[in-house]
Amino acid sequence: ITEYGQIISISSIAANLAINDIHYSAVKAAVQACVKSLSLYVKENQSIFSISPGTIFEETKHTIAQTIIDSDKTYNGKVIEIGY
């Protein structure tokens, strides 16, 4: 097992704001909550976090990519909201 690493979950605005699709929203919120809970069990130099974008445009994709590049263990347990 490696000492360093990340698990990054791509969530959705639906996990954090009300939308018309109840089922989609519920599943995204549940997975996001699971990621937060799992973050309590990683090793010191590991992290698990969610990126929660709104509507994905080209600029949003670049922001998601840059967030992944910039991420480190300080991101552990966080939800990074992008585009809203």
Side-chain angles (χ1 to χ4, degrees), residues 2-47:
T2 183
E3 294 295 321
Y4 297 90
Q6 296 178 319
I7 296 173
I8 303 166
S9 172
I10 302 299
S11 186
S12 170
I13 191 172
N16 304 308
L17 299 175
I19 66 164
N20 291 329
D21 189 337
I22 295 166
H23 300 101
Y24 182 77
S25 181
V27 169
K28 286 296 187 178
V31 170
Q32 194 168 274
C34 182
V35 166
K36 286 181 181 180
S37 294
L38 284 171
S39 73
L40 300 174
Y41 298 98
V42 298
K43 295 178 183 176
E44 182 180 346
N45 291 312
Q46 298 175 337
S47 66

Side-chain angles (χ1 to χ4, degrees), residues 25 32 35 55 59 64 72:
S25 181
Q32 194 168 274
V35 166
T55 304
E59 180 181 315
I64 291 169
D72 59 23

Side-chain angles (χ1 to χ4, degrees), residues 6 8 10 47 49 51 61-75 80 82:
Q6 296 178 319
I8 303 166
I10 302 299
S47 66
F49 65 95
I51 296 175
K61 291 178 186 178
H62 292 293
T63 304
I64 291 169
Q66 192 62 53
T67 300
I68 292 169
I69 291 167
D70 294 341
S71 64
D72 59 23
K73 67 181 184 177
T74 64
Y75 282 54
I80 312 298
I82 296 174

